[in-house]
Amino acid sequence: MQDKLQALREEALTKINEADDLKALEAVRVGYLGKKGPITEVLRGMGKLSAEERPVVGELANTVRAAITEALEAKKQVFEEEALNEQLKAEAIDVTLPGRPVTLGGPHLLTSIVTEIEDLFIGMGFEVKEGPEVETDYYNFEALNLPKDHPARDMQDSFYVTEELLMRTHTSPVQARTMGEYKGNKPVKMICPGKVYRRDTDDATHSHQFTQVEGLYVDKNVRMSDLKGVLNQFAKQFFGEEREIRLRPSFFPFTEPSVEMDISCKVCHGKGCSVCKQTGWIEILGGGMVHPDVLKMAGYDPEIYSGFAFGMGPERIAMLKYGVDDIRHFYTNDQRFLAQYHQA
Ligand code: DAH
């Protein structure tokens, strides 16, 4: 009996040793220690043993059972540890791995340019105004000295919504609106940035929708030299101290006299190159002294008040400042273009 127990122990321990997973181990446990296992059988048969043999065999059976249980437990722990290690390995987070960079958005180049222009004019005491994009014929044309059938309306091909409503062709109607709001007895010093629309075919320099910034200063004794001073300040602050400006005579129905402003070419500094088409100058904006009829229509007495106005295109300004060669880049939302101008 004792030999049998010793043999069982050896056998069980070998099997435990050989078990290569928890399932195999459980099979060994059931096989040796289970209700129908050989050790239980020995213990059950104890009654048949003699009084001297009984305690000896009993004790041995218990030791064998304890040894097998212990070996089972030890091996089980090994498997559990292995499983845990596997799991930890599988779920491990490599904290040394560099994180994926988060791409930050930024303002659109046009937004940045308009904000820059706004800041500059706010610094010179101008307020920022807005007006509707669907405008009446009256404000878009008539109040600006462009009566119905005036040939100068041809300068701005328009999208009409009805006979009397159109997509504004410029931001100049906001001049008339603001003067109207100020009722002819207060100075006006405003700029108005916004979208404008023209029936143009899109190409590298034309777009059916683009942006303008309008400027207007009406007060007593406003002179042409004030216009020149403000525009000179704008040009130098925006494009660089070394840039010169010049005013050329031009025509706009709402200003008299009218001018166009050029800045000296930054590439050749006035000598002439392909960027400035050999002229040394680049056209930036239009402006002039507000026509007396425009003042009158808005309720300002031209004998008391005078003013200057100007209008510029931020796309054109951005194109010159950053060397953008196609106006369509502003509207087609190609991140490769836009992201170049995001400031960190
Ligand atoms: N409204 C003009 C245009 O769209 C630009 C302009 C020219 C505005 C002269 C002005 C101005 O205020 O005085 O072509």
Side-chain angles (χ1 to χ4, degrees):
M1 192 61 90
Q2 275 141 301
D3 291 348
K4 194 181 167 198
L5 278 172
Q6 295 290 16
L8 278 173
R9 166 159 66 185
E10 292 314 309
E11 219 179 275
L13 292 184
T14 316
K15 284 199 176 150
I16 291 169
N17 218 8
E18 283 166 357
D20 46 18
D21 59 19
L22 278 171
K23 218 170 129 198
L25 207 59
E26 179 62 8
V28 178
R29 190 189 66 77
V30 175
Y32 287 88
L33 305 180
K35 276 189 200 132
K36 290 177 190 150
I39 296 180
T40 319
E41 212 170 282
V42 170
L43 290 171
R44 234 184 248 138
M46 293 268 283
K48 292 186 195 129
L49 296 177
S50 65
E52 300 88 61
E53 254 182 332
R54 215 178 288 155
V56 183
V57 173
E59 199 191 331
L60 183 63
N62 280 335
T63 338
V64 169
R65 190 167 57 181
I68 295 174
T69 310
E70 201 180 305
L72 278 169
E73 275 306 310
K75 186 81 185 214
K76 197 172 156 199
Q77 221 167 21
V78 170
F79 284 142
E80 278 171 356
E81 251 166 55
E82 266 174 21
L84 185 65
N85 284 340
E86 286 284 300
Q87 193 188 355
L88 287 177
K89 217 155 103 192
E91 292 173 2
I93 296 165
D94 182 356
V95 289
T96 65
L97 201 68
R100 284 193 205 102
V102 178
T103 344
L104 285 181
H108 191 285
L109 174 57
L110 257 181
T111 308
S112 308
I113 290 280
V114 170
T115 309
E116 206 180 324
I117 296 172
E118 282 177 3
D119 286 349
L120 207 145
F121 280 100
I122 289 169
M124 290 194 272
F126 287 75
E127 63 171 321
V128 178
K129 285 286 194 181
E130 281 184 355
E133 287 173 32
V134 179
E135 187 53 283
T136 59
D137 186 271
Y138 175 77
Y139 279 118
N140 195 80
F141 289 130
E142 282 186 50
L144 296 166
N145 214 16
L146 277 146
K148 289 217 160 52
D149 302 323
H150 191 289
R153 285 199 180 198
D154 286 352
M155 287 162 79
Q156 303 184 356
D157 274 340
S158 320
F159 290 116
Y160 276 88
V161 179
T162 66
E163 283 271 305
E164 290 303 319
L165 279 181
L166 70 157
M167 303 305 291
R168 67 177 176 196
T169 55
H170 51 180
T171 41
S172 303
V174 186
Q175 286 187 21
R177 284 182 173 276
T178 312
M179 283 192 276
E181 185 191 321
Y182 282 46
K183 307 233 182 303
N185 52 23
K186 265 193 290 185
V188 181
K189 204 174 180 189
M190 67 101 195
I191 58 161
C192 165
K195 293 191 192 88
V196 301
Y197 304 83
R198 302 249 176 119
R199 215 147 54 80
D200 265 335
T201 307
D202 293 0
D203 63 21
T205 52
H206 294 85
S207 172
H208 61 282
Q209 181 218 299
F210 57 102
T211 319
Q212 278 193 343
V213 177
E214 188 76 16
L216 175 72
Y217 178 30
V218 175
D219 202 346
K220 291 171 185 155
N221 299 319
V222 177
R223 292 168 302 183
M224 188 85 167
S225 51
D226 296 314
L227 172 64
K228 192 169 178 185
V230 164
L231 293 182
N232 190 43
Q233 179 65 23
F234 161 72
K236 300 212 158 178
Q237 239 178 288
F238 209 86
F239 292 102
E241 272 303 314
E242 71 292 351
R243 308 299 280 275
E244 301 292 330
I245 66 160
R246 76 172 183 188
L247 300 181
R248 277 182 294 105
S250 184
F251 171 77
F252 299 103
F254 27 90
T255 43
E256 183 58 36
S258 301
V259 295
E260 270 172 327
M261 184 182 94
D262 299 338
I263 54 163
S264 55
C265 177
K266 88 167 167 199
V267 179
C268 64
H269 301 289
K271 287 194 200 74
C273 68
S274 62
V275 172
C276 57
K277 300 196 186 95
Q278 310 304 331
T279 62
W281 297 94
I282 293 169
E283 187 198 319
I284 292 286
L285 53 81
M289 300 309 289
V290 181
H291 197 291
D293 288 347
V294 172
L295 287 173
K296 231 185 278 173
M297 274 185 277
Y300 280 79
D301 182 350
E303 298 298 328
I304 302 170
Y305 284 95
S306 56
F308 69 67
F310 57 85
M312 63 176 98
E315 282 90 343
R316 180 166 168 73
I317 285 169
M319 286 166 88
L320 289 170
K321 190 164 174 171
Y322 296 108
V324 178
D325 60 3
D326 194 319
I327 195 169
R328 289 168 293 194
H329 286 315
F330 291 105
Y331 318 113
T332 40
N333 287 335
D334 186 334
Q335 283 301 319
R336 291 168 302 179
F337 168 74
L338 297 175
Q340 298 175 71
Y341 304 101
H342 290 167
Q343 270 135 26

